Amino acid sequence: MLLTPVTQRVLSKELLDVPIRAGLVAVLAVFCFRIFVPFLNLMVWALILAVTLYPLQVRLRGPLAGKDGLIATLIILVAFAVILVPTYLLGVAVANSLERAMTVFRSGSFQIPPPAESVAAWSLVGHRVYDFWAQASSDLTGLAQKFAPQLKEAGLALLGTVTGLGAALLVFCLALIVAGIFMAHGEKGYRSAVLISSRISGPENGVQITDLCTATIRAVAQGVVGIAFIQMLLIGIAFIVMGVPGAGLLALAVLLIGIMQLPATLITVPVIIFVIVTEGVSTATIIFSVYVFVAGLADNVLKPLLLGRGVAVPMPVVLIGALGGMVTGGVTGLFIGPVMLAVGYQLFWRWVKDQPQPQRAQEQKQA
């Protein structure tokens, strides 16, 4: 079929317009992303917090009907109190402890007791531990000078960690404020999410995908925070009963470590060693050690039970998504990972089940 010159010019113009438009859209998308990327972490956290806290806002609509802005403000103020008050108390306690330690160290009254002879009999590391401990008890200043470069690096790493925690706390507080704004317009936000999901995955999947993402975020948030809180109670009670110094601060550290998805054994094992060294081996210390060690591993049992609740996908999908997201994307990936994996799982199986029927089955139906 021969095309007229006019038709050829029209087709040529249309073929030229398509890549130009696509290029302009790509440039616009790149510029928008570069402008928005400094706030990406903040907005992701705000969205996660808003989705997690929104059921509380729905429950409070009974006594405060028609006042979504007031409800969201009250929730955010309570969240600020829950977060900032323990953080302030922890900071004051740590600062006082450091000040007392520096005072004792400068006065020269700080002494490390010499090791017992039985330490040298420990297998593999006994002699090294005994020599190091003995030098620390007799010449602590010389030992500190010997390891001065390592201590300097550790101090810089600790300072960087503290700075990073401060910046993360600031971002979290700002995310709480933005989350309050999201919750005050929760209904509009949900409708917008449904429209976006429908545009991406089709009108028949929009509501289902939106509800799946919402349920997954809430399940992970409640599971992570809930498991960390349960571990804090189990371990903190044992610390208080045993009279461990700073039991409250150590319990709070267990809560923070659990939220960061680090093992609670980072706290429990050193405390067990401290109790055995100071109190000796007895029935009480053995029971305490076994109980605290098992409680530190409780998250391995609780995660499979809590992470998949209320989600329309198998629990292993959520668990694998949370662990994989944590490895690849940090704490934010802990939420994004299971959401993406759950959505992909649902779409994949919907595509698998949506198969054309065999020709014979169609002919039988027609007959």
Side-chain angles (χ1 to χ4, degrees):
M1 178 179 179
L2 297 178
L3 299 177
T4 64
V6 175
T7 305
Q8 291 178 353
R9 286 195 297 270
V10 171
L11 291 177
S12 178
K13 182 180 179 181
E14 290 180 353
L15 292 175
L16 185 62
D17 285 345
V18 171
I20 291 176
R21 292 174 181 174
L24 291 175
V25 171
V27 171
L28 178 62
V30 170
F31 271 101
C32 291
F33 179 77
R34 292 183 62 182
I35 293 171
F36 183 73
V37 72
F39 307 96
L40 182 60
N41 194 35
L42 172 66
M43 299 305 292
V44 170
W45 270 116
L47 183 61
I48 291 171
L49 291 171
V51 171
T52 304
L53 297 175
Y54 191 71
L56 181 59
Q57 171 144 346
V58 174
R59 292 183 181 180
L60 293 177
R61 280 179 178 170
L64 297 173
K67 299 180 179 179
D68 285 342
L70 177 60
I71 297 173
T73 302
L74 292 176
I75 293 174
I76 298 305
L77 289 177
V78 173
F80 269 122
V82 171
I83 294 171
L84 294 181
V85 171
T87 303
Y88 172 76
L89 296 176
L90 177 61
V92 171
V94 171
N96 292 335
S97 299
L98 291 176
E99 184 178 357
R100 289 195 298 268
M102 292 299 296
T103 302
V104 173
F105 186 79
R106 289 171 182 172
S107 64
S109 60
F110 178 73
Q111 294 291 333
I112 297 178
E117 296 296 333
S118 59
V119 175
W122 293 355
S123 59
L124 299 178
V125 296
H127 289 289
R128 294 182 181 180
V129 172
Y130 182 86
D131 294 339
F132 183 83
W133 193 342
Q135 184 179 0
S137 63
S138 60
D139 186 16
L140 184 60
T141 304
L143 185 64
Q145 293 177 353
K146 179 180 178 181
F147 291 96
Q150 291 83 353
L151 292 175
K152 182 179 179 180
E153 292 180 1
L156 293 175
L158 180 61
L159 180 61
T161 302
V162 172
T163 305
L165 289 175
L169 181 61
L170 178 60
V171 171
F172 192 82
C173 292
L174 294 175
L176 268 177
I177 297 174
V178 179
I181 299 174
F182 286 167
M183 288 191 297
H185 302 84
E187 298 296 334
K188 294 181 180 178
Y190 177 79
R191 290 195 295 268
S192 299
V194 171
L195 289 175
I196 295 172
S197 300
S198 300
R199 183 62 176 169
I200 295 175
S201 59
E204 68 280 0
N205 297 326
V207 175
Q208 182 181 3
I209 295 300
T210 303
D211 293 340
L212 176 63
C213 294
T214 302
T216 305
I217 291 174
R218 288 174 183 164
V220 174
Q222 295 170 2
V224 170
V225 177
I227 291 170
F229 186 76
I230 292 172
Q231 278 192 304
M232 181 195 70
L233 290 179
L234 294 175
I235 297 172
I237 292 173
F239 286 173
I240 294 173
V241 172
M242 198 64 188
V244 177
L249 294 177
L250 291 173
L252 182 60
V254 171
L255 175 64
L256 297 177
I257 283 178
I259 293 175
M260 292 186 292
Q261 291 298 284
L262 296 175
T265 50
L266 294 175
I267 301 294
T268 58
V269 171
V271 171
I272 291 172
I273 295 174
F274 172 80
V275 170
I276 292 177
V277 170
T278 56
E279 301 291 335
V281 178
S282 63
T283 303
T285 56
I286 291 176
I287 294 175
F288 169 81
S289 301
V290 173
Y291 171 80
V292 170
F293 185 77
V294 173
L297 300 176
D299 58 329
N300 297 315
V301 178
L302 295 175
K303 280 179 182 178
L305 298 177
L306 296 179
L307 279 180
R309 294 182 61 183
V311 183
V313 296
M315 183 275 301
V317 175
V318 179
L319 182 60
I320 293 173
L323 297 178
M326 183 69 184
V327 172
T328 58
V331 180
T332 306
L334 178 69
F335 297 91
I336 298 177
V339 169
M340 299 300 293
L341 200 60
V343 171
Y345 177 87
Q346 284 280 30
L347 294 178
F348 172 76
W349 279 108
R350 174 161 295 197
W351 171 77
V352 169
K353 295 177 181 179
D354 187 17
Q355 298 186 24
Q357 296 181 351
Q359 187 67 24
R360 289 183 179 179
Q362 291 181 1
E363 293 177 355
Q364 291 177 358
K365 288 184 178 181
Q366 291 177 358

